């Protein structure tokens, strides 16, 4: 399998204290990686390094990314003075830009909202527009920085299904930064745990399609990942304690 | 924990728990909102209307001395006479052209300077300090110099108006250009926008609310500048008409001029607001 992203000995710091201390990571084409870590573990710094947004950082190392990279932020970040479709095609050139934009909007189930203003949409709808904007350029790498963090639980589940389906269709390599262990297991092919600027774990999810095997694999992964994140409490014991 | 004697224990009757329940068969709104309720169209006319009522009532009852302030209907009849003589429309036209010219060139100058200073650091270092100095110097203090430099003709008058117009345009547009949200800058970077795409599609539209705020101040500034220049030396215009009337103690003509200034200011502010609402339809604010 060919590589979409190649990271070697990546180091980054903003002040004297290093934030990333020698990251080595490959992401294959079409691979979905979830990046877990506590606050301050450096996961956002890694994403911003790949997005080319770390202007103020000092550092060494290699980060090779493909030509077409898209970013989804925690906030939808739609320009309030552009209608929905104009937001999606922002920066897109070519005669078919609007057609592609409309197709992307239909993919996130918002067909017909082309001419709405961003403020007329709900939070979940705005984030779907942001997703459409990130996919309209057919990215080879999709970087998502806690994209569902600001959404309510029900909307988040719908967004999971949507993102899973769309990444299966468009096949970008995905790096999803999250602090939600369940979200990571649910969506990713591989979960990478970052701790104090180093990769603490790199686990292939390989979740069975359904049934008891899936449930038990999910639970095992969950315990393992929570352990890497320094959380010892088991959900079962929590439930028993109440 | 200390145990209270049984008699001191607060005892809550079961019914009490229901006292705070809202009565749902009530037709009044059940909750109170803290923001403003929906605005009534033309509601802002209430204040001017009340002033007019007070003025009319005061004049009719003799509470207001007609030698000090003529009644509102006198403004109408005198205005009508002035129109019949052809004087009013002549002065009005001259004044409007002056204010319009000053406004136009002032807006152009303000926008150009704001762009130069807002979009480049060097431009800001050169221009911003100068504009701040200009702000500190009263327009009236500059007029003697302007007469020296530009003479006493139309040119000088338009320059004085321009000077009052460009500052608010500059200040508010510059402020908006520099205040662009960093999140949008990041977005533009990830979308690989070129510099000019970024300016045209992100920075400029984002600065439009600031520009319109400046424009509202600028339009008022244009009329105010007009009053100043037309009272100093002019042979036509509303300010000249008022000045002439003052020499002959014609309070009614002075009043017509005053009312005219008020109407012009009000009408142009409405026009700018309308333009603003059309151009900034994407904004959702408390007032709309």
């Amino acid at each position: 399998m060919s590589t979409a992203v190649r990271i070697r000995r990546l180091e980054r710091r903003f002040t004297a204290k290093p934030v990333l201390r020698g990251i080595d990571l490959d992401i294959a084409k079409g691979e979905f990686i979830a990046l877990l870590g506590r606050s301050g573990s450096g996961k956002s710094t890694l994403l911003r390094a790949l997005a080319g947004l770390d202007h103020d950082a000092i550092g060494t190392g290699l980060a090779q990314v493909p030509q077409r990279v898209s970013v989804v932020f925690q906030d939808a970040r739609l320009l309030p003075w552009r209608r929905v479709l104009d937001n999606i095609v922002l920066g897109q050139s070519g005669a078919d830009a609007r057609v592609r934009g409309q197709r992307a909007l239909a993919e996130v189930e918002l067909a017909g909202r082309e001419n709405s203003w961003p403020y007329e949409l709900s939070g979940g709808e705005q984030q779907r527009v942001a997703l459409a904007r990130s996919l309209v350029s057919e990215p080879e790498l999709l970087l998502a920085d806690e994209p569902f963090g600001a959404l309510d639980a029900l909307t988040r589940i719908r967004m999971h299904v949507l993102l899973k389906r769309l990444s299966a269709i468009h096949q970008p390599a995905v790096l999803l930064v999250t602090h939600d262990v369940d979200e990571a297991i649910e969506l990713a092919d591989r979960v990478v745990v970052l701790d104090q600027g180093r990769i603490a774990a790199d686990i292939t999810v390989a979740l069975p399609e359904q049934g008891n095997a899936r449930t038990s694999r999910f639970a095992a992964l969950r315990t393992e990942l929570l352990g890497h994140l320094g959380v010892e409490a088991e959900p079962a014991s929590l439930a028993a304690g109440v | 924990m200390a145990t209270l004697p049984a008699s001191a224990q607060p005892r809550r009757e079961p019914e009490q728990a229901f006292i705070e329940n809202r009565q749902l068969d009530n037709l009044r709104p059940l909750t109170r909102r803290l923001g403003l309720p929906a605005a009534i169209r033309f509601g802002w006319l209430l204040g001017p209307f009340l002033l007019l009522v007070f003025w009319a009532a005061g004049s009719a009852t003799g509470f207001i001395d007609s030698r000090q302030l003529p009644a509102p209907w006198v403004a109408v009849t005198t205005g009508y006479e002035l129109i019949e003589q052809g004087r009013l429309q002549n002065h009005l036209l001259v004044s409007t052209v002056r204010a319009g010219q000053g406004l136009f060139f002032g807006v152009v100058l303000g926008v150009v300077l704001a762009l130069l200073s807002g979009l480049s650091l060097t431009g800001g270092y050169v221009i911003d300090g100068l504009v701040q100095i200009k702000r500190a110097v009263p327009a009236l203090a500059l007029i003697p110099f302007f007469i020296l430099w530009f003479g006493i003709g139309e040119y000088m008058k338009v320059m004085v108006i321009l000077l009052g117009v460009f500052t608010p345009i500059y200040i508010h547009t510059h402020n908006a250009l520099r205040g662009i949200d960093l999140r949008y800058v990041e977005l533009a970077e990830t979308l690989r926008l070129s510099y000019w795409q970024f300016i045209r599609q992100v920075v400029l539209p984002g600065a439009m609310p600031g520009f319109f705020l400046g424009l509202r101040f600028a339009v008022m500034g244009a009329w105010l500048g007009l009053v100043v220049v037309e009272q100093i030396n002019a042979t036509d215009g509303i300010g000249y008409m008022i000045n002439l009337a003052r020499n002959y103690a014609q309070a009614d003509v002075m009043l017509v001029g005053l009312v005219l200034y008020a109407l012009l200011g009000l009408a142009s502010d409405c026009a700018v607001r309308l333009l603003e609402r059309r151009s900034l339809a994407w904004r959702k604010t408390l007032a709309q």
Side-chain angles (χ1 to χ4, degrees):
Chain A
M1 222 193 299
S2 52
T3 349
V5 176
R6 186 194 306 273
I7 304 169
R8 291 289 177 273
R9 298 180 308 282
L10 191 70
E11 300 190 4
R12 284 286 184 274
R13 62 187 171 85
F14 294 96
T15 54
K17 190 173 171 288
V19 182
L20 298 178
R21 316 167 181 231
I23 303 284
D24 289 303
L25 183 68
D26 283 347
I27 305 177
K29 282 189 176 166
E31 190 179 24
F32 197 130
I33 290 200
L35 190 60
L36 274 177
R38 285 180 288 189
S39 323
S41 60
K43 52 190 198 302
S44 278
T45 306
L46 179 56
L47 181 134
R48 293 174 68 83
L50 296 181
L53 289 176
D54 55 347
H55 311 299
D56 297 327
I58 307 158
T60 56
L62 171 86
Q64 283 181 344
V65 293
Q67 190 70 41
R68 297 191 303 277
V69 181
S70 286
V71 183
V72 183
F73 300 93
Q74 179 165 4
D75 57 313
R77 224 168 272 205
L78 305 178
L79 298 179
W81 49 85
R82 290 174 83 94
R83 292 174 191 273
V84 164
L85 186 58
D86 296 323
N87 259 291
I88 292 177
V89 300
L90 181 62
Q92 295 296 310
S93 51
D96 64 333
R98 296 188 79 79
V99 178
R100 287 187 291 123
Q102 278 179 322
R103 206 182 307 143
L105 195 61
E107 278 185 338
V108 297
E109 296 154 18
L110 284 174
R113 303 300 296 270
E114 283 83 354
N115 288 320
S116 299
W117 293 111
Y119 80 80
E120 295 172 319
L121 304 181
S122 71
E125 288 170 336
Q126 291 185 15
Q127 198 57 302
R128 267 143 70 192
V129 174
L131 191 59
R133 177 180 60 195
S134 73
L135 290 173
V136 76
S137 56
E138 291 292 338
E140 295 156 277
L141 173 63
L142 179 65
L143 300 166
D145 193 0
E146 303 198 23
F148 315 129
L151 302 178
D152 66 89
L154 292 176
T155 311
R156 202 178 308 157
I157 292 170
R158 290 188 56 194
M159 291 295 286
H160 287 168
V161 175
L162 187 65
L163 178 62
K164 211 168 176 172
R165 201 179 72 225
L166 290 180
S167 59
I169 295 171
H170 293 271
Q171 292 280 315
V174 183
L175 184 72
L176 171 79
V177 166
T178 178
H179 55 253
D180 183 339
V181 174
D182 292 352
E183 181 173 286
I185 302 170
E186 188 68 49
L187 293 174
D189 303 318
R190 234 167 94 204
V191 181
V192 173
V193 181
L194 218 55
D195 188 29
Q196 296 186 7
R198 290 200 180 85
I199 290 180
D202 187 338
I203 297 161
T204 304
V205 173
L207 207 58
E209 277 301 311
Q210 51 198 337
N212 280 339
R214 181 187 169 89
T215 315
S216 58
R217 172 76 182 143
F218 200 108
L221 276 170
R222 195 168 190 277
T223 311
E224 187 182 355
L225 288 169
L226 284 172
H228 283 298
L229 293 167
V231 183
E232 299 300 333
E234 299 241 339
S237 65
L238 261 178
V242 176
Chain B
M1 206 169 96
T3 320
L4 290 168
S7 57
Q9 295 256 351
R11 194 150 292 172
R12 182 172 265 254
E13 299 298 325
E15 293 88 347
Q16 247 181 326
F18 295 98
I19 283 178
E20 292 210 58
N21 269 8
R22 297 197 182 106
Q23 279 193 299
L24 292 176
D25 53 357
N26 199 327
L27 286 176
R28 279 182 303 128
L30 295 171
T31 54
R32 200 165 63 96
R33 76 161 99 203
L34 285 177
L36 295 172
I40 300 170
R41 221 169 159 212
F42 304 119
W44 57 273
L45 283 173
L46 181 61
F49 176 73
L50 288 177
L51 179 68
L52 196 62
V53 168
F54 174 74
W55 182 13
S59 300
T61 56
F63 176 69
I64 297 172
D65 186 345
S66 65
R67 283 166 304 180
Q68 287 172 352
L69 181 66
W73 45 88
V74 174
V76 178
T77 50
T78 307
Y80 186 71
E81 283 165 22
L82 288 172
I83 292 174
E84 279 197 321
Q85 295 161 13
R87 284 163 62 195
L88 193 64
Q89 48 277 55
N90 183 36
H91 290 309
L92 181 62
L93 181 70
V94 170
S95 288
T96 309
V97 169
R98 260 177 211 150
Q101 283 176 332
L103 183 67
F104 176 78
F105 291 112
V107 168
V108 171
L109 181 69
V111 167
V112 168
L113 288 180
L115 288 175
L116 288 175
S117 150
L119 299 181
S120 111
L121 279 179
T122 319
Y125 297 147
V126 174
I127 295 166
D128 203 50
L130 291 175
V131 177
Q132 301 304 334
I133 290 172
K134 192 263 130 197
R135 277 180 78 193
V137 178
L140 271 174
L142 277 173
I143 287 179
F145 273 104
F146 271 42
I147 294 174
L148 271 183
W149 299 336
F150 306 118
I152 54 167
E154 254 345 76
Y155 191 42
M156 180 276 290
K157 296 188 182 67
V158 173
M159 286 303 279
V160 171
I161 297 168
L162 175 151
L163 215 61
V165 162
F166 98 89
T167 349
I169 292 276
Y170 171 86
I171 299 284
H172 292 285
T173 311
H174 174 266
N175 197 26
L177 287 169
R178 284 289 172 97
I180 180 84
D181 195 332
L182 272 178
R183 298 175 313 132
Y184 298 145
V185 180
E186 275 188 8
L187 174 74
E189 286 172 1
T190 64
L191 292 174
R192 307 262 174 98
L193 296 192
S194 69
Y195 178 73
W196 288 114
Q197 280 178 317
F198 170 61
I199 297 297
R200 241 190 25 250
Q201 300 180 350
V202 180
V203 178
L204 294 185
M208 283 310 275
F211 166 75
F212 274 110
L213 183 61
L215 188 59
R216 284 184 62 190
F217 283 108
V219 167
M220 285 297 178
W223 294 118
L224 293 180
L226 190 72
V227 181
V228 173
V229 289
E230 287 188 341
Q231 302 233 355
I232 284 180
N233 51 59
T235 51
D236 46 16
I238 305 166
Y240 168 74
M241 187 183 84
I242 294 176
N243 225 14
L244 202 64
R246 193 191 62 192
N247 291 341
Y248 297 108
Q250 294 171 312
D252 53 343
V253 178
M254 285 157 57
L255 181 66
V256 171
L258 206 69
V259 170
L260 212 53
Y261 272 135
L263 289 178
L264 286 172
L266 205 60
S268 46
D269 191 53
C270 281
V272 177
R273 279 209 226 191
L274 192 71
L275 192 67
E276 186 181 18
R277 209 174 318 153
R278 287 276 161 82
S279 314
L280 304 181
W282 50 270
R283 280 213 302 186
K284 192 180 182 221
T285 59
L286 266 181
Q288 281 170 13

